Amino acid sequence: MGDHPTRIAVIGGGMGGLTAAIALTRIAGVDVTVFEQARKLGDVGAGVTVAPNGQRVLDRLGVLEPVKRAGAIPDGHGVYQDSLGNLVAEAAWEDSAQQYQNVGMYRPDLVNVLAQEVETDTIRLGHRLTAIHPLEHGVRVEFENGVQEEFDAVVGADGIHSVVRDSLMHLPEPVYSGFMAYRGVLDASLLPDDWRMISQVWMGEGKHFMCYPLQQRKLFNYVGFVPSDRPLKESWSAPGNVADLAAEFAGENWDPRLQHFISLIDKTFWWGLYDHEPLTNWSQGRVTLLGDSAHTMLPHAGQGVNQAMEDAITLAFFLKEAEGVDGIAEAFKRYTAVRMQRTAILQNASRRSGSQFDAQNEFEDIAKRDADLRAGRDFRRSVIFDFDAVKAAEKALTRFRRI
Ligand SMILES: Cc1cc2nc3c(=O)[nH]c(=O)nc-3n(C[C@H](O)[C@H](O)[C@H](O)COP(=O)(O)OP(=O)(O)OC[C@H]3O[C@@H](n4cnc5c(N)ncnc54)[C@H](O)[C@@H]3O)c2cc1C
């Protein structure tokens, strides 16, 4: 970049926005301010898996070790089981080099670890963005609390219902998928002594349940995916009904071990699941998007956060090469072109995994579904986990330099 530090506003202090703040500061040398609507960071949430491709990004940023210390590495590969708990396929859990294994993270822990890596005075809490105005040489952002400020550029990391996306780009809204998730965490000390410290999925007709360890195995994350015709808004904090969750997985068609697990749950949250067709552009001038705001995806590939992390480091590499503030718009355009291809693959993979997990009856030959799930393990490892966002960014930059 040029002689003067470029000033960038990152809207949203979630996992994507905070990774972006670290990457833009450490790699592009940019002066970042993060604006988060909540009054406290990382107050709410459940579990997410940080996969090998996301960990590679965190490693490059120098923050992988504290993240791993706050998380839980499972004992080995996960399992896909039928609703009665019979093994269907093993799930990928590490990259081909066996360098990185999936880590289960409690969202508040991940947000807090990332926030500690960002200068305290760069995060402004209690700032809900309401409007954004492109100017001749910058962008003005306006917040509900009356604050207005100008920056050289803006990165919208404000999640599925992004104000940045909707106020400026008029892109299509994410679409409710017809499914909701019951989501929460369980005190792991309540579990039977022989409970497996791995990721487990139970697949039944039209619904599935998954769980895996978090926080040095002190907590267990769970998600019950069930159909719902009520388009619930996505949320980290909408309380759900534990009895309704239990009823979804009751009866003799479900594994008694799973039912015991559910009987231990005392608190759950609702989460409407949204999907998005891949966008054809998500940058306009000096404004761009990152994470869920750019590429909402169903959660079935466990890649939303990981893709936000890949976005963050790619954006930093492209901004580092930008020629002064006047080069920002072009850098954003190039970043978008590169990331759109990758995230579209994950959006499609997530959709496909969801239908494999939930729709037994749609498969004429369930043995073929099972074979696809087994084959999916190689795809997951080679296409998803082995991906190196830094190498991909460097390769793309070389290509652009030749143009
Ligand atoms: C059931 C379920 C399971 C999942 N499991 C996984 C998994 O295992 N692995 C994985 O990688 N992903 C997973 N995901 C997806 C993952 O949670 C999202 O992809 C991820 O949270 C996206 O991060 P983000 O930073 O883009 O958005 P968010 O995490 O939504 O953060 C957005 C931030 O912006 C703030 N904000 C919003 N609007 C404004 C505004 N107007 N002004 C200021 N601030 C604002 C919000 O308060 C929030 O802090 C799962 C999702 C679901 C629903």
Side-chain angles (χ1 to χ4, degrees), residues 200-399:
Q200 299 190 63
V201 178
W202 287 263
M203 303 176 290
E205 179 53 33
K207 52 184 91 163
H208 71 280
F209 191 96
M210 77 177 303
C211 66
Y212 55 83
L214 308 173
Q215 206 180 61
Q216 294 297 330
R217 304 181 174 196
K218 292 194 200 97
L219 294 178
F220 242 80
N221 180 59
Y222 69 82
V223 196
F225 296 94
V226 302
S228 167
D229 51 17
R230 274 189 302 157
L232 300 158
K233 191 136 175 146
E234 147 285 332
S235 159
W236 287 106
S237 56
N241 186 318
V242 179
D244 290 347
L245 163 62
E248 292 281 358
F249 297 92
E252 58 186 22
N253 285 337
W254 290 97
D255 185 354
R257 288 182 308 129
L258 166 60
Q259 290 168 338
H260 178 63
F261 182 102
I262 294 174
S263 74
L264 302 171
I265 295 171
D266 66 354
K267 201 170 177 189
T268 192
F269 295 93
W270 274 351
W271 190 290
L273 297 185
Y274 285 76
D275 199 3
H276 222 174
E277 282 306 317
L279 301 178
T280 50
N281 175 35
W282 69 62
S283 290
Q284 188 174 307
R286 293 189 187 189
V287 181
T288 194
L289 303 176
L290 171 154
D292 276 10
S293 62
H295 42 72
T296 297
M297 61 183 74
L298 291 171
H300 308 303
Q303 277 290 313
V305 171
N306 295 287
Q307 290 309 302
M309 289 171 172
E310 289 184 7
D311 288 347
I313 204 155
T314 309
L315 182 61
F317 272 89
F318 276 81
L319 271 179
K320 187 179 169 203
E321 286 253 329
E323 286 169 19
V325 286
D326 292 335
I328 292 176
E330 187 60 25
F332 280 0
K333 218 157 78 184
R334 292 176 170 187
Y335 145 78
T336 308
V338 168
R339 290 301 300 159
M340 263 181 349
Q341 293 175 18
R342 166 82 173 151
T343 53
I345 293 172
L346 276 307
Q347 284 171 305
N348 291 328
S350 303
R351 222 171 275 153
R352 184 171 158 69
S353 292
S355 62
Q356 285 177 328
F357 295 161
D358 288 332
Q360 290 186 24
N361 294 349
E362 277 175 27
F363 289 87
E364 284 171 20
D365 182 356
I366 196 73
K368 172 151 183 357
R369 188 281 306 260
D370 294 353
D372 282 355
L373 269 176
R374 284 190 284 274
R377 190 177 175 185
D378 292 338
F379 171 85
R380 239 176 129 61
R381 202 186 288 121
S382 58
V383 176
I384 304 183
F385 289 175
D386 290 351
F387 186 83
D388 185 332
V390 171
K391 276 197 188 141
E394 282 170 343
K395 204 165 142 197
L397 281 166
T398 311
R399 220 170 43 236

Side-chain angles (χ1 to χ4, degrees), residues 6 11 24 29 31 36-37 76-77 80-81 88 118 123 125 163 203 244 249 253 296 305 327 343 370 378:
T6 301
I11 309 299
L24 295 180
D31 184 353
E36 165 58 43
Q37 63 183 0
H77 63 76
Y80 299 122
Q81 312 164 109
V88 170
V118 180
I123 304 177
L125 300 173
V163 172
M203 303 176 290
D244 290 347
F249 297 92
N253 285 337
T296 297
V305 171
T343 53
D370 294 353
D378 292 338

